[in-house]
Amino acid sequence: MARKVGIIGVGHVGSTVAHGLIAQGSFDDYVLIDKNEKKVAADALDFQDAAANLNQHANIYTNDYQKLSDADVVICAFGDIKLQDNPNADRFAELSLTSSQVPEIADALKSVGFNGIIIVISNPVDVVTSLMQYHTGFPKEKVIGTGTLLDTARMKRAVGDYFDVDPKSVFGYNLGEHGNSQFTAWSQVRVKGQILSNVLSQELQDSIAKEAVVGGHTVFFGKKYTSYGIASAAIRLALAVVSDSHEELPVSNFYAPYDTYLSYPAIVGRQGIVEQLKLDLTEDEVSKLEKSANFIKEKVREHK
């Protein structure tokens, strides 16, 4: 059976996700949806022009929700990055727009009988993921946000730089909101067999944790958008779903103890969230997670 993915919102991030998946040959069918018809048509033609130089074939369709009826995954990347062009690159600057688009997209997905997994990138991702699950009524395990998968990668980059190892050799997570209330769970971070809370000074821990938060701002203010880091995170998550890999990832998923979506490591497979891990966090980390959860819940209540 052909693998099919939909991408709703084909801006900087959505188009980068599409390119990465097409270049890897991850799916057979790609459904690109965007309100800017000229842009999505141009992207589709650009991808088709690349076909003769790729090793894989891709069938590309545009602005046809009916094509999503049998899609395995729908990736939501809608929004307007220009709204984040403020002194703090505040992700919540997009919330008025993205929250207003959720009901329309949710209704369209339900109307065509889509029954796959929804992956949300759109900011603020934890709130938008919550709203998408609420408006679709889908099982919570089938609606996932990229969450702190990107922030964790930024933390791993910073730790890897310090210890002179590849980021993939760093293990651990940033937890909570994909935003300013996130935190690095140092009790879980290890490299070269060492738990870093035991070997790094508090000052260095704080410096690395800050880099994970502001790294996105550095990229944004350099080119006025981010794309490769978040696209790679979304691609990894989509592939974990479609390949049923049962991979452990720190993504935005429903965390029952706090009754909200937030980033917490989970096992991801074809059915979405297969299992949520149970971490042994410190009291301080538990307090930070609860604070982050409360912040997300407040924003969700304001926009339901």
Side-chain angles (χ1 to χ4, degrees):
M1 182 180 294
R3 290 180 170 186
K4 181 184 288 189
V5 62
I7 300 175
I8 301 176
V10 193
H12 294 299
V13 175
S15 59
T16 305
V17 170
H19 176 258
L21 291 172
I22 291 169
Q24 293 181 49
S26 303
F27 292 83
D28 303 295
D29 298 341
Y30 299 82
V31 183
L32 310 180
I33 293 179
D34 198 287
K35 291 186 176 181
N36 186 336
E37 295 184 0
K38 288 186 178 180
K39 169 66 164 60
V40 72
D43 274 328
L45 182 58
D46 211 1
F47 290 136
Q48 289 163 349
D49 286 344
N53 292 313
L54 294 176
N55 292 327
Q56 302 83 15
H57 178 78
N59 301 307
I60 299 172
Y61 310 93
T62 62
N63 282 353
D64 186 351
Y65 269 97
Q66 190 60 51
K67 291 286 187 184
L68 297 179
S69 62
D70 59 349
D72 300 285
V73 179
V74 164
I75 299 171
C76 295
F78 54 88
D80 184 353
I81 192 65
K82 293 190 295 295
L83 296 175
Q84 289 192 35
D85 194 4
N86 56 72
N88 299 315
D90 182 12
R91 296 179 179 92
F92 281 85
E94 286 193 79
L95 182 54
S96 293
L97 173 65
T98 52
S99 63
S100 69
Q101 292 177 321
V102 169
E104 176 186 347
I105 292 169
D107 287 346
L109 291 174
K110 288 189 294 182
S111 70
V112 300
F114 171 71
N115 192 39
I117 304 300
I118 297 176
I119 293 174
V120 177
I121 302 174
S122 303
N123 276 319
V125 67
D126 305 287
V127 176
V128 176
T129 305
S130 299
L131 294 174
M132 187 63 71
Q133 190 280 323
Y134 174 76
H135 285 284
T136 58
F138 283 12
K140 294 181 175 68
E141 65 271 15
K142 297 185 71 171
V143 184
I144 313 171
T146 48
T148 59
L149 186 54
L150 172 56
D151 308 287
T152 296
R154 289 171 174 152
M155 176 272 290
K156 290 181 177 182
R157 168 181 54 79
V159 171
D161 285 346
Y162 182 80
F163 284 95
D164 193 25
V165 298
D166 188 285
K168 292 191 290 295
S169 295
V170 180
F171 304 91
Y173 329 96
N174 275 33
L175 303 178
E177 175 210 1
H178 174 56
N180 293 334
S181 69
Q182 68 174 274
F183 64 98
T184 301
W186 287 109
S187 68
Q188 308 297 313
V189 182
R190 60 184 174 86
V191 63
K192 297 182 179 179
Q194 301 179 87
I195 300 295
L196 293 195
S197 58
N198 298 331
V199 298
L200 292 183
S201 68
Q202 188 62 54
E203 181 180 7
L204 189 53
Q205 289 179 38
D206 292 344
S207 175
I208 291 174
K210 181 179 179 182
E211 175 60 24
V213 176
V214 304
H217 297 174
T218 303
V219 174
F220 177 85
F221 288 119
K223 62 180 191 179
K224 296 302 183 181
Y225 63 92
T226 61
S227 53
Y228 303 127
I230 183 58
S232 296
I235 288 170
R236 184 180 181 186
L237 179 51
L239 294 181
V241 170
V242 77
S243 65
D244 198 28
S245 67
H246 286 218
E247 186 175 359
E248 176 189 321
L249 298 171
V251 293
S252 189
N253 60 110
F254 188 77
Y255 189 68
Y258 295 142
D259 192 33
T260 189
Y261 273 83
L262 52 71
S263 280
Y264 198 89
I267 304 300
V268 179
R270 189 171 294 121
Q271 300 306 312
I273 301 299
V274 177
E275 178 186 353
Q276 195 171 68
L277 274 63
K278 292 180 172 58
L279 300 180
D280 185 16
L281 300 175
T282 66
E283 289 185 8
D284 181 58
E285 289 167 348
V286 170
S287 176
K288 289 177 178 178
L289 188 64
E290 182 175 10
K291 179 180 179 181
S292 194
N294 288 336
F295 179 76
I296 295 167
K297 287 165 68 174
E298 179 183 352
K299 294 296 184 180
V300 172
R301 282 194 296 266
E302 292 173 358
H303 290 84
K304 268 191 176 177

